[in-house]
Amino acid sequence: MRISPEVVARLQEILAARVGQVSPSTPSADSSTSSDAEAAPVSLSAELRLILLLHQMVKQMSEVDMERVRQVQEQILQGTYNPDARAVAEAMLQELGG
């Protein structure tokens, strides 16, 4: 999967808007026996927040490249779609682990 520069820029904008919105975790009621070190607030770096945001966005993305689907549909309609049968067979074997 490729992420375009436009998507990266948009993600950076979203992250910049969310910086500071990640609140430190607060100790739960049953953590009264934990040490002070365990109860200390956690601060995430901007890089880690970006990674977490990317991970969340990738999980929501479709695995289908709709632009490629549109291109193939257009080629089929124009009668210019001529896939390489050997390449298709090799890709299928590769996908099946062969």
Side-chain angles (χ1 to χ4, degrees):
M1 174 190 318
R2 287 180 268 163
I3 299 177
S4 70
E6 295 82 19
V7 172
V8 172
R10 180 67 183 129
L11 289 173
Q12 289 174 333
E13 290 173 13
I14 293 169
L15 178 62
R18 291 187 181 187
V19 169
Q21 291 183 4
V22 177
S23 60
S25 61
T26 56
S28 62
D30 61 12
S31 65
S32 59
T33 60
S34 65
S35 68
D36 289 338
E38 291 178 28
V42 175
S43 176
L44 301 177
S45 70
E47 291 84 6
L48 181 56
R49 283 184 278 198
L50 179 57
I51 291 169
L52 292 172
L53 180 60
L54 286 170
H55 179 38
Q56 181 181 10
M57 292 180 77
V58 167
K59 283 177 30 180
Q60 295 173 356
M61 292 176 77
S62 171
E63 290 188 29
V64 177
D65 182 352
M66 294 310 293
E67 175 60 23
R68 179 68 180 133
V69 169
R70 187 196 61 73
Q71 290 172 355
V72 170
Q73 285 175 334
E74 189 175 306
Q75 290 174 352
I76 290 171
L77 290 173
Q78 294 174 354
T80 60
Y81 181 66
N82 297 309
D84 179 358
R86 184 177 193 90
V88 171
E90 287 176 2
M92 290 173 65
L93 288 172
Q94 193 71 22
E95 185 72 26
L96 295 173

